[in-house]
Amino acid sequence: MTSEAGREPGAWSRRRVLGMLAATAVPASLAGCSGSEGTGASSSAPSSSSSAPSVSAPAAEAGSPSASSTPTGPRPLFLGTYTSAEGGGTGVGVAVYDARSGRIAGRGTIAGVGDPSYLAVHPDGRTLYAVNERSEGGVTAVRIADRKVLSTRSSGGEAPCHLSVHPGGRWLFSANYGTGSVAVHPVEPSGALGERTDLVVHSSPAPGPGQQGPHAHQIVTSPDGGHVLAVDLGTDTVYTYRLDERRGTLSEVSRARTRPGAGPRHLTFHPGGRYAYLANEVDDTVVVCAYDPDSGRLTPGGPQSTGTGSGTNYPAQLVVTPNGAYAYLANRGHDSLTRYAVEAGGARLRLVDTVPVGGEFPRQIALSPDGGLLFAALQRSSAVGVFRVDPNSGALRRAGEPFASPVAVCALPL
């Protein structure tokens, strides 16, 4: 069995025997997660990174991105971890980064949040949300201004590995990897979470090859705001739902099946809203999907290479630059980042190159809001790598040494 932001096959069953996230075996990331073999875990307030030689890549042939202003001064960075894993953190890591240099400096920890393996922020920027990836899963809300934990609610399932906030700010979605279900919680005016309003279990189709059940790995709203899509690794299916914004309930409107055994993990939309890119964890491929905003129907294309060769890889997730010109894939087995040029208005991905990520097991990646920096949570290295993104070619250049962070499984730059 595999996971979202970094599970290895069999990690879930091992954890059921040894206790959630207590095993030394590692599993990252749209988004399921498991324990880690990260080495060199540091304190909860890591030291800042320093300059280092860069790693560059050849220029792509796609159109150059439009210019965007780079913010000045320190910007917030939140870091997810496993608090119950050996060498893990003690809560959500807090740091700041310089948007020009990529330098990170630690600012302590938000305690009282158990196993916060995936993070999201409210559209108004005032509240941080974390999954609690445990056998009795939960979701937690934290007020950013004073780091106060506002509420923790049951996710209704086991091992939630991903969550997201509806663009309207009134609903929080979460995906339970262990039990293959997705949940909806209301967001109160304070940012706190109310009692769950819906729980949908992926009871069909039957699990794919090598899977014992459904494994919801991600849940996200489409760019047009009209539909909610849930990616399930266990059933090889992406489910499309319509949200009742008054009651907070989900109604299924469509299903997209990948080829059997693909193990879809994470879906990322192109900014244009008509195409999305799917990272398949089990068969080590990526797929371009057409998306119809009117019906919510997702239509997967053929599998494409991750550029990592024949070795075991487990791709984690894709991110797309704000201008839609380039996409990047995190490769956990290959310990690399693949760069794709986005062509035909989002309808094609052209593989350009792969570059070393500078650590082990990149469980999750994220771009800074302006697209100038790429952050990679290096689970087994207990660190966060930072790359500058060339605005014209999309090439990645390492921005100093990785920043020490205990069992880093998620990096959320604001």
Side-chain angles (χ1 to χ4, degrees), residues 324-336:
Y326 295 94
Y328 304 94
L329 174 71
N331 298 299
R332 288 172 293 167
H334 197 243
D335 291 332
S336 66

Side-chain angles (χ1 to χ4, degrees), residues 3 10 24 56 83 86 101 125 142 157 217 220 275 287 307 324 360 377 393:
S3 96
T24 56
S56 59
T83 58
E86 181 178 355
S101 68
V142 178
H217 217 294
V220 63
Y275 298 95
V287 169
E360 293 185 73
S393 69

Side-chain angles (χ1 to χ4, degrees), residues 247-267:
R247 298 188 301 163
T249 55
L250 298 172
S251 300
E252 184 179 328
V253 298
S254 179
R255 293 182 184 182
R257 300 294 306 276
T258 66
R259 65 177 182 171
R265 174 187 179 89
H266 193 277
L267 184 78

Side-chain angles (χ1 to χ4, degrees), residues 85-128:
E86 181 178 355
T90 57
V92 177
V94 181
V96 294
Y97 69 95
D98 183 272
R100 295 185 182 276
S101 68
R103 184 180 299 274
I104 299 174
R107 292 291 185 267
T109 303
I110 300 172
V113 186
D115 293 313
S117 65
Y118 199 88
L119 310 171
V121 69
H122 192 278
D124 67 13
R126 295 185 298 179
T127 310
L128 181 73

